[in-house]
Each structure stands twice: as C-alpha cells, then as structure tokens.
C-alpha cells in the first residue's frame, strides 16, 4: 500500500475496509444516470490516522461517502437511522424540490426507521461542492458535531476547463468533534451551545493534520467544506496564494487571488494552489477569528491563536507547467427586485430568534411567489456573528455599491451589529423550505424560519 493511499484515508470502521473509506482525489465521475446508495447513520468506534473515536457516521465513515453526480442524474438514497435519536438528511446547496422525499428537512426518520430519498439533479444544475448533513430541528448541531456530514459534488463548467480538471484534487471536509481523552463524545453545556459548540480536535476529511501533496510547478485543486456546527475557518497556506475558483454555488466568473479564505459554517470554496515554492513543507493554518459574544453572558468566542490543521508537502515535479485561465464562467448579476424584506436576528436566554420568534415547523413565516425575484436584508443587532443560509435557491450578495456581486452563494456571514442584503429568485419548486443561522446550535435554539413558495 503506498503512503499516499494511507494519507487519503478518512476515519472508518477498520483499517482494512479502506477501499470504501472516503477515498478522495481524481476518482472518475460515474457514467450512469441512476445512482442508488445505501446509507446507514450509526454511532460506532472508528479508527484512522492514529485516532480512535466514537463518532456518528454515514456508512461507517467520517466524513460520509462522497456522492458525485452530474446534471440529469437520478439519485436514490436508501437511508436507515441507527442513531439513538430522530434524524433526517438535507442536501445543502442543491437546487432540488424541498418537498416529498427529496430535500425535505421537515421529514423525520425516527430511531430505527428508514426512508428512501429520491430526486433528479436538474439538467441545468450548476456544478459545485455541495454537502449533506442531518437537519432535524433540535438535534442538528449535536449530530453534525459527532461526525455526520458528507460532500455531494456536482460536475460542472470547472470540470470542463483543462487547466483545472487536469490538476489533482483534494477534498477537505472540516469537522471539529467534541471528544474526551478516550475519544468518546462529550455533551456540551448550555453556555457552549449558546456560544455555538466548537471541538478541540480538527478533522480534515477524517484526518488529523493530514499531509496534502503538491507537485513542484504543478497545480492542486482543493474543495473545502466547512462542515463544523459553529467553528469558523480562516484558512491560509504559508507562502502560497489561494486562487479561488468557486464559492458555495459553483464557479466564480474569474479567478480571485486570496491570501486567506474565511469560511463560516456551511460555506464552501474551491481553490487552486500552485507548487511555486522551494520543495519543502508548508503549514495549512486556521487563523484567529472573533465571532463575537453573547450579550447576556459576555463570554467571548474569540480564538486568539493560529491552529495548524495540515501540511502542504512538495512531492515530485509536474510534467508540464501552465497558467490558469482568467475567466471561468459567466454569472449574470440579478437585477434590483421590487419586493424587499427584512429579517431581524435576535438573541435571548437559550433562545435565538428571527423577527422575535423561534422556529415552529407548523407556522409559515414568509410567503413568496414561485419564480419571483426578491431582495432580503438580514439585520443583526446582536453581538455575535450569524452566518445565514437559505435552502433550495442560491442567492447573490449585494455589495456596498448596491450592485449584486455575480457569484452564487447559499450562506452569507452577517457580522455582529451589521446587515447584509442578498437577491434571490424562487425558481422551479413550490412548497415549504427553510432559512436559518448555520451556527447549528442557534438553529436548534430557534433561529430558523419557514419559507413557503407558492405556485404561480
Ligand atoms: Cu446546511 Cu439548513 O443547512
Ligand atoms: Cu442547507
Ligand atoms: Cu447564529
């Protein structure tokens, strides 16, 4: 077994079952149009990269199996819940129905129960790095923290650009389980929940401090998913520029050169890294970030030290050298809508609100018309950051100049004492769907609303 394979293995049931254990890299896109997967969620002891942890896993793996699909594919997931509590599945970022047995976060899969999820990826779906995770209100943060999350990749324009598709690819699913020194999960107290739980152990696709290999003068494509319930990642690689090519909802119009990338919970980015330095090792860092404080308790969530979460290691030389194209795709900016809404975020004791109310699945909070275009403002008068997420339809953020930034997002960071506007159109699907803070403890404590999209 070559060392590269060992490095690429995520946590799984036993070392010997490596073949099914979250292998990443340049695995081919499945050619079939129909994909049927059997996924069981359960809690078990997992081993890998020197760790032994009791986590909750999809198909015995943390992170869960990578699902790779193409527009037009039909996906069926035979899901079984062997967790101690109720759960369900949400397909974060996918533009598919939020009703029936598709991306319906209001469904319950009780302990011991099963459900067949089934949907088509629309033929015009954007490519990108999406993900799946539990979404049962009241249990989401804990289940995610204990390991339940997996990447869902949809093939798209970037995979047709030879300068990008020709590079090796690494998937970095960032998780931070909360475990004791034996590797068993610990339940966190109410203040930690209000703050948004963060674990001390950072897993990068199931590995602690993994070595990510890059060829000298070659390119590496990183697909990064913040699958932690509350932790923000401010990522940097020593002495390397991050060439961002995609955000949550797929390709950016042009390559963005970044020194660092901030990912709040639920956000994704795809970046290219060039092996342009002396062939040694460089740290992959998570820089300090202060996401504010609870007004009534006053404890700060500031992290004041940089954490090394992996190493970029030079290994071999690229056979050929190339530059990235400057333009990647076209993203039409959304026009200024007539309909505007404002949502005010709020905080109380063990209670997080939107417009003063906590979530109730039986209550409709916002009603819109299918195919209509709206501008939503999230106003955050609290002392803490709240990354806001909308299901089913991606949005464009409105910049300081009042124009829409041409990039598709589904999570937007609304910093403490600030407001952010987004534009979105409710395309294709009617029915109830959700919007919420992606600090999942806040979502569990009420910071979520039900959006009803009415057919025209
Ligand atoms: Cu990633 Cu409603 O969530
Ligand atoms: Cu989502
Ligand atoms: Cu929040």
């Amino acid at each position: 077994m070559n060392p590269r394979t060992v490095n690429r293995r995520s946590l799984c049931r036993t070392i010997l079952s490596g073949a099914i254990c979250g292998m990443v890299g340049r695995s081919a896109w499945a050619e079939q149009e129909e994909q049927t997967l059997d996924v069981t969620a359960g809690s078990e002891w997992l081993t890998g990269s020197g760790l032994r942890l009791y986590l909750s896993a999809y198909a015995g793996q943390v992170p869960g199996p990578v699902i790779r699909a193409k527009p037009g594919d039909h996906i069926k997931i035979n899901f079984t819940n062997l967790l101690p509590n109720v759960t369900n599945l949400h397909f974060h970022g996918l533009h598919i129905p939020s009703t029936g047995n598709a991306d319906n976060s209001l469904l319950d899969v009780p302990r011991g129960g099963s459900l067949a999820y089934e949907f088509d990826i629309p033929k015009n779906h954007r490519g990108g790095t999406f993900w799946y995770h539990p979404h049962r209100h009241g249990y989401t943060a804990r289940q995610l923290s204990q390991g339940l999350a997996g990447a869902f990749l949809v093939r798209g324009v970037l995979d047709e650009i030879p300068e990008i598709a020709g590079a090796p690819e690494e998937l970095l699913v960032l998780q931070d389980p909360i475990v004791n020194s034996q590797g068993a999960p610990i339940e966190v107290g109410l203040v930690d929940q209000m703050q948004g739980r963060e674990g001390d152990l950072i897993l990068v696709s199931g590995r602690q401090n993994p070595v990510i290999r890059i060829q000298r003068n070659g390119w590496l494509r990183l697909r990064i998913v913040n699958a932690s319930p509350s932790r923000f990642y401010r990522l940097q690689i020593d002495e390397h520029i991050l060439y961002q090519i995609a955000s949550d909802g797929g390709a950016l119009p042009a390559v963005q050169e970044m020194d660092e990338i901030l990912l709040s919970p639920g956000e994704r980015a795809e970046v290219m890294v060039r092996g342009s330095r002396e062939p040694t090792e460089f740290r992959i860092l998570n820089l300090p970030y202060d996401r504010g404080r609870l007004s009534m308790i006053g404890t700060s969530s500031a992290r004041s030290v940089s954490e090394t979460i992996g190493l970029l290691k030079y290994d071999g030389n690229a056979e050929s050298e190339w530059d990235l194209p400057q333009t990647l795709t076209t993203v039409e900016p959304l026009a200024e809508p007539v309909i505007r809404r404002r949502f005010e975020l709020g905080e109380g004791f063990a209670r997080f609100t939107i417009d003063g109310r906590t979530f109730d699945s039986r209550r409709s909070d916002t009603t819109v018309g299918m195919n209509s275009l709206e501008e939503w403002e999230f106003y955050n008068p609290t002392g803490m950051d709240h990354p806001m997420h909308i299901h089913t339809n991606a949005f464009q953020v409105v910049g300081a100049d009042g124009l829409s930034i041409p990039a598709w997002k589904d999570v937007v960071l609304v910093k403490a004492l600030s407001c952010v506007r987004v534009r979105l159109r409710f395309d294709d699907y009617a029915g109830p769907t959700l919007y919420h803070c992606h600090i999942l403890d806040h979502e569990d404590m009420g910071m979520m609303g039900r959006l009803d999209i009415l057919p025209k």
Side-chain angles (χ1 to χ4, degrees), residues 90-93 103 133 135 389-392 410 436 438:
H90 166 50
F91 302 94
H92 181 131
D103 183 29
H133 64 80
H135 214 292
H389 168 52
I390 305 175
H391 286 209
T392 316
D410 54 56
H436 60 90
H438 219 290

Side-chain angles (χ1 to χ4, degrees), residues 2-322:
N2 74 47
R4 182 166 184 128
T5 311
V6 173
N7 273 322
R8 282 163 178 263
R9 180 177 293 121
S10 54
L11 283 162
C12 55
R13 268 185 208 119
T14 74
I15 274 294
L16 293 174
S17 63
I20 56 143
C21 283
M23 300 283 287
V24 295
R26 305 175 65 193
S27 52
W29 297 91
E31 279 312 313
Q32 73 269 26
E33 310 285 290
E34 304 259 337
Q35 297 197 42
T36 303
L37 296 98
D38 295 314
V39 176
T40 296
S43 301
E44 49 197 313
W45 285 99
L46 302 173
T47 54
S49 57
L51 296 167
R52 185 168 181 270
L53 304 173
Y54 192 82
L55 296 177
S56 298
Y58 289 127
Q61 304 169 41
V62 171
V66 180
I67 303 174
R68 286 174 173 262
K70 303 183 302 305
D73 281 1
H74 184 77
I75 308 289
K76 188 169 177 198
I77 299 174
N78 296 316
F79 178 67
T80 303
N81 175 16
L82 297 184
L83 299 168
N85 296 107
V86 59
T87 191
N88 61 16
L89 287 180
H90 166 50
F91 302 94
H92 181 131
L94 289 189
H95 181 61
I96 57 175
S98 56
T99 49
N101 282 12
D103 183 29
N104 186 345
S105 300
L106 297 173
L107 290 174
D108 280 351
V109 185
R111 171 182 177 180
S114 295
L115 187 74
Y117 285 90
E118 197 165 1
F119 51 86
D120 290 314
I121 309 285
K123 287 217 162 54
N124 61 355
H125 199 286
R126 283 186 289 272
T129 302
F130 307 102
W131 62 301
Y132 61 98
H133 64 80
H135 214 292
R136 178 48 162 80
H137 181 62
Y139 297 89
T140 311
R142 190 206 297 167
Q143 292 181 351
L144 210 91
S145 163
Q146 291 180 351
L148 293 169
F152 193 123
L153 311 181
V154 179
R155 191 186 159 103
V157 284
L158 295 177
D159 306 291
E160 311 295 336
I161 297 175
E163 293 92 333
I164 290 170
E169 187 179 305
E170 284 278 354
L171 175 62
L172 310 181
V173 177
L174 305 175
Q175 293 170 287
D176 64 341
I178 305 173
V179 291
N180 63 22
S181 55
Q182 271 73 55
I186 22 188
E187 200 35 67
V188 300
L190 192 56
V191 172
D192 285 327
Q193 288 177 46
M194 289 175 65
Q195 198 74 63
R197 69 187 74 193
E198 295 191 23
D200 293 328
L201 173 65
I202 296 182
L203 295 178
V204 179
S205 286
R207 300 164 290 165
Q208 189 179 19
N209 261 308
V211 174
I212 310 288
R213 285 165 204 278
I214 190 168
Q215 291 183 317
R216 186 152 200 233
N217 297 319
W219 288 97
L220 176 65
R221 177 180 181 180
L222 301 177
R223 294 179 181 261
I224 313 168
V225 182
N226 183 351
S228 303
S230 319
R231 192 184 214 86
F232 285 42
Y233 294 87
R234 215 181 118 207
L235 299 171
Q236 188 174 60
I237 304 180
D238 277 341
E239 292 178 46
H240 287 74
I241 295 168
L242 304 175
Y243 297 88
Q244 189 175 1
I245 55 171
S247 62
D248 302 336
L252 296 175
V255 178
Q256 302 282 320
E257 292 189 22
M258 315 282 279
D259 285 325
E260 56 177 74
I261 285 194
L262 178 65
L263 291 180
S264 64
E267 285 188 287
R268 290 88 64 210
E270 294 181 33
V271 300
M272 301 292 288
V273 181
R274 187 173 214 162
S276 55
R277 296 287 161 188
E278 286 308 302
T280 60
E281 285 181 357
F282 298 87
R283 292 174 305 173
I284 304 174
L285 292 167
N286 182 22
L287 302 176
Y289 188 81
D290 181 358
R291 54 189 181 82
R293 60 211 68 227
L294 293 163
S295 54
M296 55 184 44
I297 295 165
T299 52
S300 163
S301 56
R303 199 168 23 77
S304 52
V305 291
S306 289
E307 306 159 316
T308 301
I309 63 165
L311 281 179
L312 182 73
K313 184 175 180 164
Y314 280 68
D315 183 15
N317 288 294
E319 280 161 27
S320 59
E321 276 186 62
W322 69 81

